[in-house]
Structure formats: C-alpha cells, structure tokens
Amino acid sequence: MSNIYKHFYTLFIKEKEKLDRRISQRQDASPAPAFQTPLAVGAALLGLGVSSLLLGASEPKQKLEDHPMCGITTGGRAECYFDCEVFASIDASTSSQIVTNLECLNDCFVSQNIRKRQQTKHCVNSLISDVLEDGICYFANFTAPGCLDDNFNPLPSCPSSYEGIFKISRDCTEDDSLNFCGIIQGTCSPETEELLRKTECVQEVFEQPGFILNTIQQLIQFSCSSTTSDIYTNLQQKANGFPPSAPCDPDYVYEYPDTTDIPENLDYPDYSNGVRRGSNRTTNRLSPAQSVLQFPEFTIITQLNYENTRHRYPWVCSLRSTGSSPEHLCAVTLLSVPPKPTVVVGAAHCTYICKNDNEKAIPVCCCAPNEVESCVDDKTKCGDNPKVFEMTGDDVEILCGEWETGDTPMVLSGEKYNVLLPIKEIVRHPNFNTTQGAGPIGGSDIAIFKVDDISIQKKASSLRLNPICLPTKQKQTAGKQTGIHTGWSKPPPFHFVEDQAAGYLPLYRDFFKQWHYKMDIDTCRDPLLNGLFGGFLDFPSDSYYPPATVCAKDFSRQSCFSTGDSGSPLMVREKTRPMRFYAEGILSFVKGCDVFTFGGIDDDGKLWQLNQQSENPSTYTKLSCFLPWVAKQYGLEYTTSDDTDPACFESQGNPPDEEEICRITPSNLVDFIVGEVECILPFYYGGTKYDECVLFDESGFVYPIFRCPTRGSTEKIDGINSYPTTALTEGLCPDDSSDPASDLNPNIQDCDPLARRAPFSQCKNNCPGVRAFGIIGGGAALAFLGATAGIQFLAPAAAGLGAVGVAGFGGNAVAEMMCVTPYCRDRAGACCLIQPTPNNFLACPDICPV
C-alpha cells in the first residue's frame, strides 16, 4: 500500500509540475480581467493522474488550427486605394488627409478611351504624371515657425507647403498683380489642363471619397493655372453652400454637364414604418457615401462600388434576430468549419437583449434609463418593467453569405448563397463583467456560438465557406500594421432620412450593404491630435482601455463605427501568405466620434452631406489572447509556439478620476478659437437635467458624439443653464451679439444665421458620461448603463483552469494565492502544499513548513 501511495504522490507532483509549466507559459490561460476578482480553481487535479494511471491514453483531441483554405477571399475585390498611404499635417497645412504615394491612385481612374483601346490619358492620371515628374509649385507655408519677417512677409528660407511630401518646383509663373489670382503657368502640361476642364472629369473627381477628392484638389491648386483650379474651387464652394468666387479669367466660361438629377419618383421599398422592423433608436456608422449634391446643372453623388464586398469575406456572418422580419444585430466570425466543429466567435456584449414582462423583444432604448436616448416611458413601445436578458437561440440566429441585410431577397441582392445556422448555445467569457459601468470596458468581451451546422456538414467546401486564419506572431509583418475592417451598419430610421437628408432616400438600400475599410493598427490611447484642425491637443485625455485589446483607426479618419458593427473582425494579411487574412480582433467598443453631421447644408434642400471624422480609436478584443478558451468550449486543443503577448495582460490609460477637469475637443470653428474649454455641468436639455456628457438624439436617431454645453444660456431652471431641443441642430442666438462670450438666448430668433452658435461640443474621453459603448444593432450600451440589475439568467462567473489568467502568475502561484487544491491551510491559517503523512496519506499539515 505504501508503494501505491508513493507512486500516486510522485504522479501527483509530476502532474502539478506539468500544469505549472503549461500555465506559466500561459498556453491555456485567459487574460486578466480589467477588474480582477478571485476565481475558484477546480479540484480535479488529482483526477489527472488517476485517469492516466487506470484508463491509459485517451484518444487525441482535435485541434483548433488553420483550415487549409482559411483566409482566402471568394469574391469582390479590394478598393483601388487600399495600397495608398495618407497623411495630414499637424499644422493643417495639408488642408486634410492627402495621399502621399500618388502612384496608388492610377488604378482608381481608367479613361473611357483607354477602354476603347485608344491611348488618351485619364485626366487624373495625367495630373499625377505631371506632379511626379515636375512636382508642385512653391508656395510658402506661413504656418511654419520662423517663416515670416517683421512685416509678415515670407522669408526666402520659408519651406513650401507639402515640403517633403511632393517634389517642389520654383519655376512656376505666378500672378503678381494686386488682384493676385495664383498660378499663371504651373507644372501641369497643356494636355492635363485641357483634360481637367472637361465636364466628365470634373464630375468624376467630385464623386471620389473625401481624402481622394482633397488630394486631387490640392494638386490642381498647387500645380495648374488658376483658370483650371477656379473650376474646382468654385464648385467646392457651391457644394459647401457658399457663392462661387469671381474667376481670375473672366473670358473663360466653364460649361457644366447636362442635368442628371436623381429621379424624384425612384422606386424604393416602403420603409415608412421605420428601419425595416420599426423605429428602434440607433447610433450609426452610416453608408460611406459622403455627399449628394443636386446643382441646377447636374447631380454629384460619392460613388462606391458595394459589389466589391459581396461574398468577399465568407467567414463574416450576420448575427440577427429571429422572426418573420429578421434584423441585423452584430457580426460574428467563423474560425473553423466541418469536418471539424464549426467555431463561431463574436462580442459578448452582443448577446444581451431588452425584453418586457412578457419576454417580448423591445427596442434597446427601453433598457437605457436616465439617458437622452431612453424611451422607457413609452409604454406602447416598451411595455412594463423592461429588463435585459441573456440571448438564446430562440432570440437570434446566424446567417452566412449575407451581403445586404434586411428583407431584400437573394434574387434582388445578387447573393449566391445564404446559410442559416441555428444557435444551440451561447457561451460568454466568464470574465465579461455585466455590472453597471463595466460591460465592454471591463474587457474579455468575447463569446462563442455553438450552432446546428447540419446544413454545411457536406457543403462547406462547395459553398467556399472558408473560415478566417488564426492569429500568430509569425504571420505579422514588420513595421506599420494595417488591416481591414468589414461589417454592416444599421440604417437610420427611414423617417429621419426623409426629414433630414432627403437626398439620400434613393440610396437608402445602400445603408444595408456590407462595406470594408482600411485601418491603421496602433496602441490603444486617446487622441493626441485635433482631427479636424490639426495640431496637438493642449489637454489630451488618457482614459482606460482594458487588457487583451487592440485598437485601430480608419486610415483616412473619415468614418466612425457604431450600431451594427460590433463583432466585426479586424483582418490582417499574413506575412508569408499575403493572399490570406487572419483575425487580429473583433470589434468591442468605441468612445464616440469627433465630427458627425448628416443632413442638408443649404436652404434650398438640394445639398446633403454625411461628414464623419474620428481620431478616437475603435477597440477590438485581441483574439490571440482568448484562443485557448475558445478551443476548450468546443472540446478542441489549441497549441502555439508563440511567447505570451504582454498585450494580453496589460491595460492602457488610467481608470476614471473624478478629480480630472472635463474639457472639450474643438470640433467647429468657434471651438477652435476659444480652445479646449471646460464643460458646463450640470445642464438641462429639453426640460431634463443631466449631470454628465450625453449622446443626443433627433427623430429616433442618436448622434454618436458625447457632448456637453460650453456656452451659458439666459434660460435657467433652479439657476442651471437650460437649452431647448432645437439648439442641437439650429444653434442659438447670442444675447449680446457684440460680446463673443455672451450667453445664448433661446428667445431670440431673428439674429443673422452666421451669428448662431452651437451650444454643445465634443467631450474628451475622460469626462463623466463618456463611455465605451458596445454597438449592437439594437442600439448603444444596452445592458451596461444601469439596467443591469434586471439581467436574467446570468452564468456564474467561475472558470476552469483554461480560463484562469493573472498577469505574472503561473498556475501554481494562482492556486497558492487562493489556497485551493493542491494547497491547503494549516491550523494557523497559513497556506502550503498538501503533504504525505507518515502513513503515506495525503493531508494538510498541522503547521506549514517554512
């Protein structure tokens, strides 16, 4: 008997040492949660040795590993500008984002004549060729330090705008008369000038995304004669709602193209009841179409080829509601397909739903009390006692092959296949924290979906339903990291578009279509630069980002992800297999945009604009940190030769500090003049008091910017500034127009339109109320605003060994710290390893050895 116990104890020690090595290498550990709580480590350790002793070797587990066809796209194409690099000067001398490697734009412009096998150049290709060969004309950058003399004249040593970006020419001829009109003869060839003046060229240039349009306009302004640049400058002024300037050459008359207005009676679906399923309030990253400009002569619409994303990324599927009219909620991602288990991952915060007493799904605004976007008092919409529930397979399903969400049938959308995967079980990471103030900001925002995959058991290959590749360090490229984000936004309510941006009505179906973005991957941190005006911020915030996250920004900074985008993958091309993508992360949260305007910009109702800009990063759950946990949920084994990534255990920034001063980030010209002033809190808006920054809504549409007032109001409630709801979109008149710091007076309506001021500005990330909101299709924040007390059916926050992870500790240290098996406490309460007794029994000693 003694020998048996000795053998058992030896085996016990070996198993413990093996476990220590495994966990100390963190091969089967999850990251430390943002707010760590003790976890119970299972006492099944002893069984490891017994089972191997008595039962012999078990069958090897299947592995979670790369599928042979992983990460290979199956349709569509990359955007022509995905290989472009963009830059914006911190002194705003580049106007906005510009493309620096101009050759990348040549693929974006193809001459119709070339298509007909003729050799005529496209106007933009001809412009790029001239600039690459001869550069742009020298113009002094007045914003450069030490550039001006005492009389404010540029010094000869003054650097040129775009110095170091483009080749600079000092051979241009400029107008030196009192009516200075710019360039008389620049670096543009006569052929280029002629091509750029053609109406089809002008229209095509203005149909480009903003950063490409800005690049071309800057090249024309600094390279071509004023006769040519006037055409583009004046049209841009008209697009901004301003009258055109007088031309430098009055003898040159530009002939605008024929009228191509959007048809007034275009046949589009009836969405009069709201967004397909109703009028749920939403925040939105909208269709990337940036402008719809209806001039008397012609109409210009930002052109985007949505077909480029159709079936391109087969591993990205839609998590949608069940029922007769399903609604997209979030994206989910395939990591494995048959013959191995179908592995699907998504964001944990996407797996909660707002329901009433009858357990009927209701709009998210019903579960957002004390918020501007709350609709809890609408009993018709919310019913009684709305609460947040954990989703089940009765509430949601997964659809792969989706391209255009909503009710549009495949025959109209052009989708080749749709595969429905019913959900059998949703498992949320045990460290995902649903208490108030936590949610996505608490980290571990990941869940897995066990599905009924009978429909693809024998079809995954024929459907080309490729999963994405798994992330490893060996796949990363050196230097600057970029990736692709793809997913769906939830459209704004139809009545909002009808009322505020009627020019977008014929494009309404585009809001339902998948799109993709090139992303710059970087450290998670709050903005250091003013994304709108350039320059470093004087008071940058440093708010908190949890461990095991990775951040990225749209490389053009001209989008802001929001409702419906949660769970969307951040995909990166492999180093040695660049035709394949691996999943770097899945979208967890954002902290709001810098600028978001959507609606008319003129009094005639002919010019509409969607302007989205953000230096705030989008935050993704770092997938590599959670693969051991994901594999375990499916009974799979996951092994990797990678060393532990410190990012899995290290947070960024600082937790909220009530002592910090809440300031704004300038987001309009007046803000830029007054600077990063303090927010005025508390305040009343529409008769309701708010003590913190808020998201405002209009007609059921929530603007994804946290704002606070910076100008006082003559209207007070209990001595506190009060603002009407009209102040958000119309602005308010100053009480004293001669005083730039005057309070605003809601009772004055007849001031000059240019004198009206926006009372609200963008809050910095450290301000009270600014939160990391998860952005599911039903709305923002959901369970983590204060309604969390009503969460039903929450799983216990305990985990097996595969879910334990404490920075700097191996498995042995974790067990000792918590004093659980194989450790115990002696009579004095000291903790030590279980010891063999003189009779060869295992027991806790009376006194732990020192």
Side-chain angles (χ1 to χ4, degrees):
M1 185 69 67
S2 174
N3 289 335
I4 291 178
Y5 274 106
K6 287 181 180 179
H7 177 79
F8 180 84
Y9 187 73
T10 301
L11 184 60
F12 171 86
I13 294 298
K14 288 182 179 180
E15 289 292 338
K16 184 187 76 66
E17 291 173 349
K18 286 165 60 178
L19 180 63
D20 279 348
R21 286 194 298 271
R22 287 175 59 202
I23 300 184
S24 65
Q25 295 169 359
R26 302 190 183 115
Q27 294 297 308
D28 192 24
S30 293
F35 310 105
Q36 186 71 46
T37 56
L39 298 176
V41 179
L45 182 62
L46 297 176
L48 295 175
V50 175
S51 62
S52 61
L53 178 66
L54 301 178
L55 301 178
S58 60
E59 293 185 10
K61 288 184 178 180
Q62 287 184 301
K63 292 184 177 182
L64 177 61
E65 58 188 356
D66 280 348
H67 185 278
M69 299 298 289
C70 72
I72 298 176
T73 56
T74 55
R77 59 181 297 176
E79 298 307 308
C80 61
Y81 51 79
F82 275 1
D83 58 345
C84 291
E85 299 292 335
V86 298
F87 171 79
S89 172
I90 62 172
D91 61 8
S93 62
T94 60
S95 175
S96 183
Q97 298 282 349
I98 61 164
V99 176
T100 56
N101 55 331
L102 296 176
E103 302 92 334
C104 73
L105 291 177
N106 283 325
D107 293 338
C108 296
F109 301 95
V110 179
S111 172
Q112 295 296 326
N113 291 326
I114 290 178
R115 292 192 183 104
K116 299 175 183 177
R117 302 192 179 214
Q118 300 177 22
Q119 296 303 311
T120 304
K121 279 186 176 181
H122 189 282
C123 58
V124 176
N125 297 143
S126 185
L127 172 66
I128 291 172
S129 178
D130 289 347
V131 171
L132 291 176
E133 182 174 351
D134 298 320
I136 62 174
C137 297
Y138 170 83
F139 277 94
N141 178 10
F142 300 125
T143 62
C147 185
L148 302 178
D149 62 19
D150 295 338
N151 295 319
F152 299 100
N153 296 313
L155 297 171
S157 59
C158 186
S160 173
S161 298
Y162 302 102
E163 191 86 45
I165 302 175
F166 304 131
K167 181 179 177 181
I168 305 299
S169 172
R170 291 181 178 263
D171 297 329
C172 301
T173 304
E174 301 174 13
D175 179 13
D176 57 3
S177 68
L178 294 178
N179 297 321
F180 177 73
C181 279
I183 298 172
I184 297 175
Q185 176 62 55
T187 58
C188 288
S189 66
E191 177 190 12
T192 297
E193 298 252 5
E194 182 180 356
L195 291 171
L196 288 171
R197 294 173 187 174
K198 291 183 178 295
T199 55
E200 58 268 25
C201 179
V202 176
Q203 188 160 0
E204 186 173 359
V205 166
F206 274 85
E207 289 173 344
Q208 300 307 308
F211 68 97
I212 296 180
L213 171 60
N214 183 63
T215 300
I216 297 172
Q217 286 182 312
Q218 295 298 303
L219 294 181
I220 293 173
Q221 181 179 347
F222 284 86
S223 305
C224 300
S225 70
S226 57
T227 302
T228 300
S229 62
D230 276 352
I231 298 170
Y232 291 83
T233 301
N234 287 339
L235 188 56
Q236 185 64 62
Q237 287 181 303
K238 292 175 68 177
N240 293 335
F242 297 106
S245 304
C248 283
D249 183 358
D251 296 328
Y252 182 83
V253 178
Y254 175 67
E255 295 182 4
Y256 285 96
D258 294 333
T259 300
T260 56
D261 283 335
I262 299 176
E264 293 184 3
N265 298 316
L266 190 70
D267 182 20
Y268 47 80
D270 179 12
Y271 302 120
S272 57
N273 291 325
V275 185
R276 303 248 174 165
R277 291 195 64 199
S279 57
N280 294 1
R281 298 179 179 221
T282 63
T283 52
N284 294 274
R285 180 274 297 165
L286 298 180
S287 163
Q290 293 170 314
S291 58
V292 178
L293 309 173
Q294 287 183 306
F295 298 116
E297 305 89 354
F298 59 99
T299 293
I300 293 175
I301 303 172
T302 305
Q303 295 298 308
L304 294 157
N305 189 355
Y306 287 92
E307 285 70 21
N308 286 350
T309 60
R310 186 161 50 203
H311 296 308
R312 178 163 179 77
Y313 310 105
W315 49 82
V316 184
C317 305
S318 171
L319 178 70
R320 66 180 196 173
S321 59
T322 55
S324 58
S325 186
E327 178 182 10
H328 168 77
L329 300 174
C330 291
V332 293
T333 302
L334 293 171
L335 302 185
S336 176
V337 295
K340 291 187 176 182
T342 300
V343 176
V344 186
V345 296
H349 76 262
C350 286
T351 64
Y352 297 86
I353 189 170
C354 187
K355 294 182 178 181
N356 58 21
D357 266 355
N358 298 323
E359 296 194 14
K360 177 184 176 183
I362 52 179
V364 172
C365 58
C366 299
C367 291
N370 306 318
E371 298 296 323
V372 173
E373 65 264 34
S374 176
C375 59
V376 67
D377 294 331
D378 187 340
K379 298 298 182 181
T380 302
K381 182 180 294 184
C382 301
D384 294 322
N385 198 24
K387 293 186 179 71
V388 177
F389 288 74
E390 288 187 340
M391 286 179 177
T392 69
D394 293 331
D395 302 311
V396 286
E397 60 194 12
I398 292 172
L399 186 68
C400 298
E402 185 82 312
W403 173 63
E404 182 178 350
T405 61
D407 296 333
T408 303
M410 288 174 56
V411 66
L412 294 181
S413 69
E415 295 162 1
K416 297 177 182 178
Y417 65 88
N418 283 163
V419 176
L420 187 64
L421 299 175
I423 296 173
K424 297 191 293 186
E425 183 182 5
I426 301 173
V427 183
R428 299 153 190 89
H429 194 280
N431 291 341
F432 181 69
N433 189 350
T434 60
T435 57
Q436 182 174 354
I441 196 63
S444 300
D445 187 9
I446 188 170
I448 63 96
F449 301 81
K450 296 181 180 181
V451 298
D452 181 354
D453 60 3
I454 187 66
S455 60
I456 60 171
Q457 284 289 346
K458 297 181 180 180
K459 294 182 179 179
S461 296
S462 61
L463 290 173
R464 302 176 71 191
L465 196 62
N466 301 339
I468 196 168
C469 298
L470 304 179
T472 63
K473 286 187 177 180
Q474 290 79 9
K475 296 176 181 178
Q476 296 178 1
T477 57
K480 181 180 178 181
Q481 295 287 310
T482 61
I484 301 295
H485 169 110
T486 188
W488 298 268
S489 64
K490 179 175 177 169
F494 182 82
H495 64 268
F496 174 84
V497 179
E498 195 171 35
D499 293 341
Q500 303 295 331
Y504 280 84
L505 288 176
L507 310 176
Y508 194 64
R509 271 187 59 185
D510 289 345
F511 289 126
F512 293 85
K513 295 173 182 176
Q514 185 180 9
W515 192 242
H516 51 187
Y517 298 81
K518 179 182 176 182
M519 308 293 291
D520 289 335
I521 302 173
D522 204 352
T523 303
C524 291
R525 66 183 179 192
D526 291 347
L528 300 176
L529 299 175
N530 185 314
L532 191 61
F533 298 102
F536 287 101
L537 295 171
D538 294 326
F539 302 97
S541 59
D542 187 24
S543 65
Y544 180 82
Y545 296 84
T549 55
V550 58
C551 288
K553 303 176 185 179
D554 181 330
F555 88 126
S556 71
R557 306 299 192 266
Q558 292 179 348
S559 69
C560 179
F561 303 127
S562 199
T563 298
D565 276 294
S566 276
S568 297
L570 177 63
M571 310 172 296
V572 181
R573 290 192 180 274
E574 292 190 3
K575 177 180 179 180
T576 58
R577 302 185 299 179
M579 297 304 293
R580 296 176 185 255
F581 285 100
Y582 68 86
E584 177 67 15
I586 53 178
L587 185 61
S588 176
F589 64 83
V590 296
K591 296 184 180 181
C593 306
D594 295 341
V595 175
F596 190 101
T597 58
F598 182 39
I601 58 175
D602 70 325
D603 295 331
D604 298 327
K606 294 294 183 181
L607 307 178
W608 294 273
Q609 188 177 69
L610 171 59
N611 183 14
Q612 304 172 94
Q613 298 183 43
S614 185
E615 277 288 335
N616 248 340
S618 300
T619 307
Y620 300 77
T621 300
K622 190 173 179 65
L623 186 59
S624 61
C625 301
F626 296 91
L627 286 179
W629 176 81
V630 170
K632 184 176 181 180
Q633 309 316 304
Y634 292 92
L636 299 173
E637 181 181 351
Y638 176 75
T639 58
T640 177
S641 59
D642 287 353
D643 294 330
T644 302
D645 189 338
C648 294
F649 302 92
E650 296 175 356
S651 61
Q652 303 293 327
N654 299 311
D657 183 354
E658 294 182 359
E659 300 301 319
E660 287 188 280
I661 297 175
C662 173
R663 299 178 181 273
I664 67 163
T665 295
S667 55
N668 57 56
L669 185 58
V670 175
D671 287 350
F672 179 67
I673 295 172
V674 301
E676 300 166 46
V677 298
E678 295 182 28
C679 287
I680 301 175
L681 299 173
F683 65 95
Y684 280 87
Y685 175 75
T688 301
K689 182 182 177 181
Y690 297 96
D691 297 310
E692 57 189 19
C693 299
V694 295
L695 297 170
F696 289 104
D697 88 317
E698 182 181 13
S699 302
F701 179 85
V702 181
Y703 293 91
I705 303 178
F706 290 96
R707 303 192 222 208
C708 68
T710 58
R711 299 285 293 268
S713 172
T714 57
E715 291 294 305
K716 312 284 185 182
I717 298 178
D718 297 330
I720 297 173
N721 293 303
S722 177
Y723 307 89
T725 55
T726 54
L728 180 65
T729 54
E730 298 177 11
L732 296 175
C733 296
D735 189 50
D736 180 357
S737 58
S738 64
D739 180 4
S742 168
D743 282 353
L744 303 178
N745 190 335
N747 297 314
I748 299 178
Q749 302 295 326
D750 57 353
C751 66
D752 188 298
L754 295 179
R756 286 182 172 268
R757 296 290 178 260
F760 302 104
S761 299
Q762 179 202 358
C763 299
K764 292 185 185 292
N765 289 348
N766 65 330
C767 287
V770 177
R771 58 185 184 265
F773 58 90
I775 40 184
I776 69 171
L782 188 63
F784 317 111
L785 293 176
T788 46
I791 290 183
Q792 309 293 308
F793 314 126
L794 284 181
L801 293 174
V804 174
V806 180
F809 292 93
N812 186 33
V814 173
E816 183 175 13
M817 179 180 67
M818 300 176 184
C819 207
V820 296
T821 308
Y823 290 85
C824 65
R825 294 193 184 278
D826 67 9
R827 293 178 181 178
C831 185
C832 59
L833 187 68
I834 295 173
Q835 303 289 321
T837 69
N839 296 324
N840 290 321
F841 288 95
L842 295 174
C844 193
D846 291 336
I847 300 176
C848 287
V850 178

